[in-house]
Amino acid sequence: MEISKEAIETVKRSHDLKEVVASYGISLKKKGSNYVGLCPFHEEKDPSFTVNPRTNLYHCFGCNAGGDVIGFVSKREGIGFKEAMEKLTDQETIRDQGRAPGNGTQKTPSSLTAPAVPTVNHARLLNRVVSFYHTTFLEDQRAMAYLKGRGITDNALFADFRIGFSNGTLLNTIPDDGDITEALKETGILNAKGHELFYGSVVFPIFNENKDCVGIYGRRITEGETDHLHLPGPRRGVVNFQAAKRSPSIILTESVIDALTLYNAGFKDVIPCWGVNGLTDDHLKLFTDCGTKEAYLCFDRDDAGEQAAARTAGRLKERGIETYVVTLPAMPDRQDKVDINSFFSLTADASRIFAEILHAANPRGVIRQAATHEQKYYEPTPTGFIVKYGERRYELKGITNEGVRLKATIKAARADRRFHLDAVDLNSHSRRLSFAKACAALFAEKEEIITEDMAKLINLAEAFKPEKTDETPQAAISVSDEEGALNFLKSPNLFERILKDFETIGVTGEDANKLMGYLAAVSRKLDDPLSVLIQSRSAAGKSTLQDAVISLVPPEDAVKYTRLTGQALFYKEEESLVHKLLAIEEEHGAKDASYSIRNIQSSKYLSIAATIKDPVSGKLKTEEYKVRGPVALMITTTEADLDYETSNRFITLTIDESKEMTERILEKQREQETLEGLMKKAETDAITKRHHNAQRLLRPLHVINPYAQYLTFPSDTLRARRDHKKYLGLIRAIAYLCQYQREVKTIAARRDNGQSIEYIEVTLDDIGKANGLAAEILGRTLDELSPPSRLLLAMIREMVETRCKALTIEPREYHFTRKDIRDYTRWSDFQVKCHIRQLEDLEYLYSVAGKKGKEYVYELLYAGEGISGTPFIMGLTTVTQLKEKMGFQQLGGQKDEPGGYLEGTRRARGG
């Protein structure tokens, strides 16, 4: 029996929503023109439930529930719309009978006045349980794998039917509350022993028209005593009742799995029975109310299925519904029984054959198969996509897929430019329903049609791969641009060209700093990249150098920040910094992030455990965030004294602040105002483009250093352990940049991984360049010594060389005392003590032994470098020495002979 609109409006007008709400024991307080209280539909401490007496409507800002008085009673009582209407109509009749002549507006108490409010609302509890089971289904893949193994693969179907999984964790999420546990037993979710009824089962909730759960069907995913489980009591509700509202022709199946198999294949107008005797009064009432005209009975091909189809057909015909029995074809491997799921799983092109079977059962039938991803128009956008179904247009932006949550901002628009815009969590049943209801009103369509649209949008949103926020898409390289970039990389004077390009784009002088910055940027592609700290006073040009280096890096590989907060890096996308150049404009702006910077340099990753609130259970849980490296860093600073823990991880570049450099910079600034400067500026775009393409062409090759065992490095300080890695990394970066000038070699694959390794080798020229840069950047000059100390150092070196030559030993094998120095130099003890201290402090001499009461014994570390005034690092093996060592090895002298050349070298390296 249809309820007229007039009757509905009469019930709404005749009931004061505020009084009805209060009759359920909900305390309301006046706030402005509205009344507020604690929401009866979700747990909360601060009132967010609002009743508007002017419109007679309610809305909760916490759970987004809202509606009129009929909807409130329906949701509060867990009953359907019609039952709520009947309840309110009966209440109105009682009130009218209570008004006797002369009694004015006297009212008789009714069921809505002083109701028996249960401690726990069972309808709301069931809704929360199925919501938890759905979340478990998404997180624990076993049930999803079971369904996909049976051919049910549509992710939108999983979301649309709120399919869940009971893996035994429900009790871990509920508070230690006896009332809730008892209510779960009353509903049947827990058995008498307090165990989950549906444990180990994929769960299919059954909803009524008010979108509340009224029943649950469970199917065990492993063999057990009982494969099919239901909540206690009579079967309530109809799965996919929207099909009857949407179409006058429906397909009836014997089981839920069979119905979902057809739904997955595009046959959306399908409704399952509860087994061979499972056509319930709820089914018949639904078909009658919706005006169902015809039904196709697709039961199992066995004796029980055929008998059930005949009985069901008879009951439907009594209601005036035409029936057509669909007989599945026999299958050779399954003579005993054929059901829809096995037919679709084992038959090639099953959808087409099934459609033909339907047509054979009723050639004039209107059952249609909808394409699972059907759309008439699809257009990708940078942050989402636009899709149209008929006249319905949806634009999704800002799609984020975080496992449990699939979020997007959706704009539904009509041709006349009217639209509805909302941020929707597509994995949230309530949010989808709310959005579908608004869109149904916007498009003047049935809500079931919009629900189908939402299912398609979920599929498309899950398949969409958003661009990472920290990346710019890599530009395609044309053939001519690639040729130019390759010529650049193959150039024998590659480093001179790099310096010339820096000069053209406006950075003069600072050759070593420019090359070191460029190599550090290129090293981002290696597993152990270099990091650079540019140090100078304000206005010296450190930012100019940093910006110049960044401008030559492809934009998709560079990330620059002015300031970093303490935990900023921890919450970036996991892969957003891998093989990137991270530039920070001022070290002071990254002080809070120094810990994370040090960790991503040393460990190649960051991880943080944060506490968040579970959206389903409301309980706090720990979520882990990871950010992976490696990453090259480039930071500028004006600080004179830097944190040691941070600074020793960087190669420090100091800007030349001399008067001569200032004059060169001023001259360069003036040149930029001339025609020649304008011409050079015009070349900048071409230069940056060439460098971007060249760096994009650098392949991820390994770099092998065949000279590594013959290299030396000063080992007199603990910091050498990190500085030595920087030195080796510098050699590696130089060789990597020159990869197109080297032979790419391949090592045979190992049996365990089956992958071959491609690599290039370091050359002596690479080591020569690295030594020159290391001396320029990390080195020192003799100018740091006072003239007397410098003279004493020269005399000590002369003494050591003379005596080592006589003894035929290496300088580092010769130890001497202050007396030896006094005897050779004829200096007084006071003079030697005074100036030898500076040589020792600046590490030109190494104190082998010497304490109070003992004789001081020294070793000379200085080998005569820097006499010409050039910077130097003591202890590095020169290219000439490497050639001598390699030549000695090739002559067969690699035996570890006591006192031999190699043995002496090893002792020197060991310090």
Side-chain angles (χ1 to χ4, degrees):
M1 179 180 176
E2 291 290 336
I3 302 175
S4 66
K5 291 184 178 179
E6 291 77 7
I8 295 173
E9 291 303 319
T10 299
V11 169
K12 291 180 181 179
R13 287 195 305 269
S14 59
H15 288 84
D16 186 340
L17 177 58
K18 176 172 62 67
E19 293 182 4
V20 172
V21 171
S23 72
Y24 281 92
I26 301 166
S27 177
L28 296 175
K29 294 183 178 180
K30 189 170 178 57
K31 187 175 182 180
S33 60
N34 297 329
Y35 292 83
V36 297
L38 295 175
C39 180
F41 305 126
H42 79 287
E43 297 176 5
E44 62 178 2
K45 294 181 180 179
D46 298 321
S48 61
F49 181 85
T50 304
V51 175
N52 187 328
R54 183 177 60 82
T55 60
N56 214 32
L57 297 174
Y58 76 93
H59 180 75
C60 176
F61 294 94
C63 64
N64 208 35
D68 54 29
V69 65
I70 304 172
F72 176 82
V73 174
S74 173
K75 192 171 183 65
R76 188 67 179 85
E77 297 277 350
I79 57 179
F81 179 84
K82 292 182 180 179
E83 291 85 349
M85 274 288 296
E86 292 170 1
K87 194 174 187 68
L88 288 166
T89 303
D90 291 342
Q91 168 66 11
E92 181 65 22
T93 303
I94 292 171
R95 288 199 309 200
D96 289 342
Q97 291 173 349
R99 292 194 184 103
N103 288 347
T105 58
Q106 180 181 351
K107 298 179 182 178
T108 302
S110 68
S111 60
L112 288 182
T113 306
V117 181
T119 307
V120 179
N121 185 295
H122 287 187
R124 188 174 60 167
L125 184 62
L126 270 183
N127 289 339
R128 295 190 65 179
V129 168
V130 298
S131 179
F132 173 77
Y133 281 161
H134 181 61
T135 301
T136 306
F137 176 84
L138 297 174
E139 294 176 344
D140 189 330
Q141 298 292 306
R142 288 179 290 170
M144 186 180 293
Y146 167 79
L147 291 179
K148 290 188 175 181
R150 301 196 63 169
I152 302 172
T153 59
D154 188 354
N155 290 331
L157 179 153
F158 301 148
D160 206 39
F161 287 92
R162 301 292 291 169
I163 296 175
F165 178 47
S166 172
N167 65 355
T169 60
L170 175 65
L171 293 177
N172 299 335
T173 66
I174 64 175
D176 188 12
D177 189 330
D179 290 339
I180 294 180
T181 303
E182 192 60 36
L184 289 172
K185 289 182 178 180
E186 291 172 4
T187 59
I189 294 295
L190 301 181
N191 60 23
K193 295 181 180 180
H195 301 152
E196 289 186 55
L197 173 67
F198 297 104
Y199 174 70
S201 301
V202 57
V203 172
F204 304 93
I206 300 102
F207 297 99
N208 62 13
E209 294 184 15
N210 200 44
K211 314 302 187 284
D212 287 322
C213 178
V214 295
I216 297 176
Y217 162 67
R219 179 68 168 84
R220 291 197 188 278
I221 64 174
T222 56
E223 294 184 4
E225 295 180 3
T226 306
D227 287 336
H228 306 277
L229 299 166
H230 295 269
L231 284 180
R235 309 285 180 261
R236 291 185 60 193
V238 177
V239 174
N240 196 28
F241 65 84
Q242 296 91 340
K245 291 189 166 190
R246 182 172 54 237
S247 172
S249 301
I250 60 167
I251 303 173
L252 276 179
T253 65
E254 189 174 311
S255 72
V256 172
I257 294 291
D258 288 343
L260 294 183
T261 301
L262 289 176
Y263 195 97
N264 186 84
F267 298 93
K268 306 293 188 182
D269 300 331
V270 58
I271 292 176
C273 296
W274 304 113
V276 291
N277 297 311
L279 187 70
T280 65
D281 290 339
D282 283 355
H283 286 99
L284 296 174
K285 185 175 184 299
L286 174 69
F287 300 156
T288 301
D289 292 345
C290 294
T292 302
K293 302 299 183 186
E294 57 185 21
Y296 294 77
L297 310 183
C298 300
F299 287 16
D300 296 352
R301 185 190 172 100
D302 58 8
D303 292 340
E306 291 172 1
Q307 294 170 13
R311 288 193 304 270
T312 302
R315 295 183 65 186
L316 292 175
K317 286 178 180 178
E318 292 175 0
R319 300 291 180 118
I321 300 172
E322 288 292 328
T323 59
Y324 304 93
V325 177
V326 178
T327 304
L328 296 172
M331 301 179 67
D333 296 335
R334 299 179 66 92
Q335 294 292 345
D336 56 335
K337 176 182 177 180
V338 178
D339 58 28
I340 289 174
N341 183 258
S342 62
F343 169 74
F344 270 82
S345 299
L346 302 174
T347 305
D349 203 9
S351 295
R352 180 187 60 79
I353 296 173
F354 186 77
E356 292 176 356
I357 296 172
L358 288 178
H359 181 72
N362 178 22
R364 298 188 304 275
V366 296
I367 285 287
R368 62 184 178 85
Q369 180 186 10
T372 4
H373 301 289
E374 173 191 19
Q375 74 255 356
K376 294 183 179 179
Y377 175 86
Y378 179 89
E379 177 190 345
T381 64
T383 58
F385 58 84
I386 298 170
V387 65
K388 289 177 68 176
Y389 303 105
E391 296 300 317
R392 304 183 302 280
R393 181 184 188 274
Y394 300 95
E395 181 176 2
L396 278 73
K397 294 181 179 179
I399 301 171
T400 56
N401 193 344
E402 301 171 354
V404 177
R405 293 190 175 184
L406 176 63
K407 294 182 177 181
T409 299
I410 308 179
K411 181 180 181 181
R414 295 176 14 153
D416 61 5
R417 297 188 179 182
R418 289 178 57 194
F419 66 89
H420 175 72
L421 180 67
D422 200 356
V424 184
D425 184 350
L426 292 169
N427 277 346
S428 168
H429 184 59
S430 60
R431 296 293 297 142
R432 286 202 320 276
L433 290 178
S434 174
F435 187 77
K437 185 175 291 187
C439 291
L442 175 71
F443 295 124
E445 283 281 5
K446 290 184 178 180
E447 194 173 325
E448 291 74 24
I449 300 293
I450 306 301
T451 301
E452 283 192 6
D453 288 354
M454 296 296 292
K456 298 169 189 174
L457 292 178
I458 289 174
N459 267 329
L460 294 171
E462 287 182 329
F464 179 76
K465 300 297 183 185
E467 298 170 359
K468 292 180 180 178
T469 55
D470 295 311
E471 289 190 2
T472 304
Q474 180 169 317
I477 305 176
S478 67
V479 176
S480 60
D481 288 343
E482 182 175 344
E483 184 179 346
L486 285 173
N487 289 336
F488 173 75
L489 291 171
K490 293 177 181 179
S491 174
N493 59 337
L494 176 60
F495 285 78
E496 288 79 1
R497 292 189 64 178
I498 292 172
L499 290 175
K500 183 179 178 182
D501 288 343
F502 269 111
E503 194 76 24
T504 302
I505 65 176
V507 184
T508 188
E510 307 284 1
D511 288 355
N513 287 343
K514 288 184 291 192
L515 285 177
M516 186 64 81
Y518 192 88
L519 288 167
V522 168
S523 74
R524 72 186 183 277
K525 292 175 170 279
L526 297 170
D527 290 336
D528 290 295
L530 301 170
S531 293
V532 165
L533 184 70
I534 306 174
Q535 186 179 35
S536 75
R537 289 184 295 170
S538 181
K542 58 187 181 302
S543 296
T544 301
L545 176 60
Q546 183 189 55
D547 291 342
V549 172
I550 295 172
S551 71
L552 300 181
V553 176
E556 68 270 11
D557 284 355
V559 182
K560 183 179 179 182
Y561 295 115
T562 302
R563 183 176 181 270
L564 276 179
T565 58
Q567 294 187 325
L569 292 181
F570 287 100
Y571 292 100
K572 290 187 68 64
E573 294 289 336
E574 185 171 351
E575 305 293 326
S576 62
L577 292 179
V578 175
H579 296 304
K580 298 288 193 299
L581 172 66
L582 174 60
I584 302 170
E585 195 166 322
E586 178 57 52
E587 185 269 342
H588 183 76
K591 279 190 179 296
D592 293 339
S594 60
Y595 175 79
S596 57
I597 289 172
R598 292 199 300 266
N599 271 272
I600 202 167
Q601 280 180 286
S602 301
S603 305
K604 307 292 191 300
Y605 75 94
L606 295 173
S607 64
I608 187 172
T611 304
I612 65 170
K613 191 171 185 178
D614 188 281
V616 176
S617 66
K619 296 184 70 175
L620 295 177
K621 69 175 185 178
T622 299
E623 184 104 354
E624 185 178 3
Y625 297 89
K626 283 189 176 181
V627 181
R628 301 189 185 278
V631 57
L633 286 114
M634 181 174 288
I635 304 177
T636 65
T637 182
T638 55
E639 298 286 341
D641 296 319
L642 294 170
D643 171 38
Y644 177 78
E645 279 298 314
T646 300
S647 64
N648 70 359
R649 288 172 166 82
F650 289 83
I651 296 174
T652 302
L653 308 183
T654 54
I655 300 297
D656 186 351
E657 300 180 9
S658 66
K659 179 182 178 182
E660 292 75 16
M661 178 54 68
T662 302
E663 289 176 350
R664 291 184 63 180
I665 292 173
L666 296 181
E667 183 181 349
K668 191 70 176 178
Q669 292 172 350
R670 290 191 291 268
E671 181 192 79
Q672 292 175 354
E673 302 297 317
T674 66
L675 181 60
E676 183 181 356
L678 181 62
M679 296 298 292
K680 286 185 176 181
K681 189 175 181 180
E683 295 178 40
T684 300
D685 290 342
I687 290 172
T688 55
K689 185 177 181 180
R690 181 171 64 244
H691 282 269
H692 292 174
N693 292 333
Q695 293 189 28
R696 289 175 182 137
L697 291 176
L698 291 175
R699 297 172 53 198
L701 299 173
H702 293 274
V703 179
I704 302 299
N705 190 342
Y707 308 99
Q709 59 182 318
Y710 303 107
L711 297 175
T712 57
F713 195 83
S715 55
D716 309 288
T717 61
L718 196 60
R719 180 167 177 163
R721 300 181 182 185
R722 277 193 174 140
D723 287 347
H724 184 237
K725 287 192 69 176
K726 297 174 192 174
Y727 172 61
L728 295 176
L730 178 58
I731 297 173
R732 194 184 312 117
I734 292 171
Y736 180 77
L737 179 59
C738 298
Q739 61 179 253
Y740 282 94
Q741 303 174 30
R742 309 289 158 80
E743 177 190 357
V744 178
K745 300 183 179 181
T746 304
I747 190 172
R750 289 190 173 184
R751 292 180 181 178
D752 54 353
N753 59 26
Q755 294 182 352
S756 58
I757 300 174
E758 291 185 320
Y759 67 94
I760 57 174
E761 291 186 341
V762 170
T763 66
L764 290 173
D765 186 53
D766 297 335
I767 296 174
K769 286 186 174 68
N771 285 353
L773 277 175
E776 188 77 22
I777 301 298
L778 306 174
R780 58 179 64 187
T781 66
L782 293 177
D783 292 339
E784 65 187 347
L785 295 173
S786 64
S789 297
R790 183 173 178 178
L791 176 60
L792 178 62
L793 177 63
M795 297 175 75
I796 292 174
R797 177 171 171 262
E798 182 181 310
M799 175 192 74
V800 170
E801 286 182 343
T802 301
R803 293 183 179 175
C804 285
K805 186 175 182 180
L807 297 171
T808 63
I809 60 174
E810 290 293 315
R812 284 202 171 190
E813 295 180 82
Y814 178 72
H815 296 165
F816 52 91
T817 65
R818 290 180 183 174
K819 183 177 184 302
D820 294 329
I821 299 173
R822 290 197 304 271
D823 291 344
Y824 187 83
T825 62
R826 305 295 181 180
W827 283 29
S828 68
D829 183 57
F830 173 79
Q831 288 176 309
V832 170
K833 280 184 180 180
C834 180
H835 297 294
I836 204 171
R837 185 176 303 161
Q838 187 181 27
L839 297 180
E840 188 178 352
D841 289 343
L842 295 177
E843 299 174 354
Y844 288 88
L845 297 180
Y846 175 62
S847 178
V848 179
K851 291 182 180 178
K852 290 182 179 179
K854 291 187 179 181
E855 185 179 39
Y856 280 85
V857 179
Y858 298 97
E859 175 187 323
L860 179 65
L861 303 180
Y862 175 67
E865 304 96 337
I867 293 178
S868 62
T870 58
F872 63 92
I873 295 181
M874 292 184 294
L876 292 186
T877 305
T878 66
V879 172
T880 302
Q881 291 169 333
L882 279 173
K883 289 179 180 178
E884 291 174 357
K885 292 180 181 182
M886 298 298 289
F888 182 80
Q889 176 189 7
Q890 291 165 4
L891 291 173
Q894 197 172 351
K895 288 186 179 180
D896 291 332
E897 301 171 359
Y901 187 84
L902 291 178
E903 183 65 22
T905 305
R906 285 194 191 89
R907 282 200 298 272
R909 281 206 307 273

